[in-house]
């Protein structure tokens, strides 16, 4: 092991930085810095990060990042093509780059551990970021927020929520379970298929209080999606439960939807799409859930795009029961 790599390993161990909020070690465990190499590879291949952004994401100096990149031979042109018919690629978002273009004062210090990157199946590439969830509302109070903008019940109580890493599961599925200080569990899952990513968000009430007036915000951020990043509503269509964005040539659509749906909308400055789910009231000891989808489709107009996603069966036989006992 070189002095630089030994120093790098020491930095990783002593910094207290957890391994990627979500990326498992897929390199040879005997390779020095294998987890870091894996993280950097995904930042380079699928996110187009600069060295400065990779340093921000890892907490390591740019000089160390550059040496690892050079020694590992990491380069954008090394990105492999996905096999035909393979599921869409879903990755934990690495952080290091704000996922919004604008309206950043409405998303200060965004958490990376709530976010997923869904890699575009189209050229010239790019990725959409799904914030799952961005927020959970309990009546008129915030039970959870994936950034700082307005106070949650925890910030009001002076309680800081620690990280909750994504876990890799079979078939490229990613899942996350976050237990809040009052015993409420927020569970999220993203299961990729060749046509779409099927999403699930559930709340398990481990507290001694009933949860009512429950709704969530699930944000699909388009900063990283080439051709879909216009800060405008003119290329977007909202027909609850569907929210969709059209490519400049009019032939491609990014479509998201949730059921049950509280409302469908978009926020041009970000830019982003929203189909925000709602939930039944949840007594102590029970759980509630909502199901969603994010799809990349080719269609001549919004009607065809929505019909195409509806035909995927993302909500058929998946909603009952929406409340379960534990």
């Amino acid at each position: 092991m070189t002095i630089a790599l030994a120093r790098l390993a020491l930095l990783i161990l002593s910094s207290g930085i957890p391994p990627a909020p979500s990326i498992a070690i897929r390199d040879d465990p005997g390779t020095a810095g294998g987890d870091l190499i894996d993280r950097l590879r995904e930042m380079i291949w699928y996110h187009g990060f600069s060295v400065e952004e990779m340093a921000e994401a890892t907490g390591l100096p740019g000089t160390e990042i550059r040496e690892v990149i050079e020694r590992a031979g990491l380069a954008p042109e090394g990105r492999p093509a996905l096999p035909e018919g393979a599921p869409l690629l879903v990755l934990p978002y690495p952080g290091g780059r704000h996922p919004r273009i604008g309206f950043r004062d409405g998303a200060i210090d965004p958490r990376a551990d709530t976010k997923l990157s869904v890699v575009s199946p189209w050229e010239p590439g790019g990725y959409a970021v799904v914030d799952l969830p961005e927020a959970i509302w309990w009546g008129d109070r915030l039970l959870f927020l994936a950034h700082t903008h307005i106070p949650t019940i925890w910030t009001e109580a002076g309680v800081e929520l620690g990280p909750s890493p994504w876990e890799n599961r079979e078939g490229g599925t990613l899942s996350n379970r976050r237990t809040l200080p009052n015993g409420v569990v927020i569970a999220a899952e993203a299961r990729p298929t060749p046509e779409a990513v099927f999403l699930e968000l559930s709340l398990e009430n481990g507290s001694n209080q009933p949860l009512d007036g429950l709704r969530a915000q699930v944000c699909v951020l388009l900063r990283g999606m080439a051709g879909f990043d216009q800060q405008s509503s003119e290329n977007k269509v909202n027909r609850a439960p569907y929210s969709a964005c059209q490519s400049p040539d009019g032939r491609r659509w990014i479509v998201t939807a949730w059921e049950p749906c509280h409302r469908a909308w978009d926020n041009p400055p970000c830019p982003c799409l929203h189909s925000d789910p709602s939930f039944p009231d949840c007594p102590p000891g029970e759980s509630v859930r909502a199901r969603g989808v994010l799809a990349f489709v080719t269609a001549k107009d919004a009607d065809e795009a929505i019909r195409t996603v509806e035909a995927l069966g993302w909500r058929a036989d998946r909603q009952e029961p929406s409340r379960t006992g534990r």
Side-chain angles (χ1 to χ4, degrees):
M1 181 185 295
T2 67
I3 293 175
L5 283 177
R7 182 183 169 208
L8 176 59
L10 180 61
L11 279 167
I12 294 172
L13 291 172
S14 63
S15 64
I17 301 168
S22 46
I23 296 191
I25 299 175
R26 292 192 287 273
D27 288 282
D28 182 350
T31 302
D35 182 53
L36 178 64
I37 292 171
D38 195 54
R39 295 179 66 185
L40 296 180
R41 182 185 296 117
E42 294 183 351
M43 292 183 215
I44 293 169
W45 283 357
Y46 303 111
H47 296 89
F49 274 20
S50 66
V51 169
E52 291 72 23
E53 289 171 324
M54 288 184 271
E56 179 71 21
T58 61
L60 297 172
T63 53
E64 303 289 352
I65 298 293
R66 289 187 180 90
E67 180 167 349
V68 175
I69 289 173
E70 182 178 351
R71 288 186 175 276
L74 303 180
E77 54 270 21
R79 170 180 168 173
L82 289 177
E84 186 174 354
L88 294 171
L89 183 60
V90 182
L91 302 169
Y93 186 64
R97 172 188 290 171
H98 201 295
R100 296 184 178 188
I101 296 175
F103 190 39
R104 294 188 183 182
D105 56 346
I108 301 168
D109 295 328
R111 305 179 68 104
D113 61 348
T114 61
K115 297 171 179 59
L116 297 168
S117 299
V118 182
V119 177
S120 172
W122 302 317
E123 293 297 335
Y127 60 95
V129 174
V130 182
D131 211 348
L132 185 64
E134 180 186 7
I136 300 288
W137 289 92
W138 176 14
D140 59 356
R141 304 180 68 193
L142 265 175
L143 188 63
F144 178 78
L145 186 63
H147 46 75
T148 59
H149 171 42
I150 53 179
T152 68
I153 64 174
W154 309 117
T155 53
E156 290 174 344
V159 177
E160 183 175 350
L161 302 181
S164 179
W166 290 92
E167 296 183 1
N168 292 278
R169 295 172 55 189
E170 186 178 359
T173 294
L174 293 179
S175 63
N176 183 297
R177 285 178 64 85
R178 182 187 311 276
T179 302
L180 300 178
N182 63 350
V184 173
V185 176
I186 302 172
E189 181 180 282
R191 179 173 62 86
T193 72
E195 300 84 13
V197 179
F198 292 101
L199 306 167
E200 181 174 310
L201 186 61
S202 64
L203 302 174
E204 301 173 11
N205 189 358
S207 76
N208 58 7
Q209 294 180 279
L211 300 176
D212 51 16
L214 291 169
R215 57 187 174 86
Q217 286 183 200
V218 177
C219 186
V220 178
L221 294 139
L222 302 174
R223 176 184 179 181
M225 269 303 303
F228 294 84
D229 55 355
Q230 299 93 331
Q231 292 174 284
S232 169
S233 286
E234 293 184 3
N235 64 335
K236 299 175 181 67
V237 174
N238 297 302
R239 299 176 188 168
Y242 291 97
S243 183
C245 182
Q246 184 182 33
S247 65
D249 64 9
R251 296 181 299 172
R252 291 172 171 172
W253 293 80
I254 296 175
V255 183
T256 189
W258 281 83
E259 183 74 20
C261 180
H262 171 65
R263 67 166 176 156
W265 58 291
D266 64 270
N267 191 338
C270 292
C272 63
L273 301 175
H274 277 263
S275 174
D276 291 338
S278 60
F279 303 86
D281 293 345
C282 188
E286 296 193 8
S287 64
V288 291
R289 73 181 182 187
R291 301 289 183 124
V293 66
L294 177 66
F296 297 75
V297 300
T298 300
K300 66 178 184 297
D301 55 29
D303 290 337
E304 183 180 3
I306 290 172
R307 286 196 303 269
T308 300
V309 178
E310 187 70 21
L312 296 176
W314 63 273
R315 55 180 171 179
D317 301 320
R318 291 165 57 87
Q319 285 305 117
E320 298 297 335
S322 59
R323 178 192 288 130
T324 58
R326 293 192 301 161

